[in-house]
Amino acid sequence: MKKDGDGREKGSEQLLARRLSEEVGISEPDALGLIKLIGTDWNSLLREARFLKERH
């Protein structure tokens, strides 16, 4: 898989973003933004994604 500028694999981030998007109901671009901001810790991503969804 290709790696982006900070060494993380793009494909795995995309899969994680898709899973987060489906589970919480946010857009994939929003999910990718959270991953870039927070990292890949699933519990942190869920918490922030739910917070983001409540704001919209």
Side-chain angles (χ1 to χ4, degrees):
M1 279 187 201
K2 291 184 178 180
K3 293 187 177 185
D4 60 12
D6 61 0
R8 291 184 290 186
E9 293 182 359
K10 287 184 177 184
S12 60
E13 283 186 2
Q14 191 66 39
L15 289 172
L16 189 60
R18 187 172 301 130
R19 179 180 170 205
L20 186 61
S21 173
E22 290 173 0
E23 186 152 333
V24 180
I26 62 173
S27 70
E28 281 191 40
D30 283 345
L32 275 172
L34 285 176
I35 292 167
K36 289 178 195 280
L37 183 68
I38 296 169
T40 58
D41 180 73
W42 182 247
N43 289 328
S44 296
L45 287 169
L46 279 176
R47 181 185 64 240
E48 295 302 321
R50 289 175 180 145
F51 178 73
L52 181 64
K53 184 176 179 183
E54 288 176 11
R55 291 184 57 208
H56 287 105

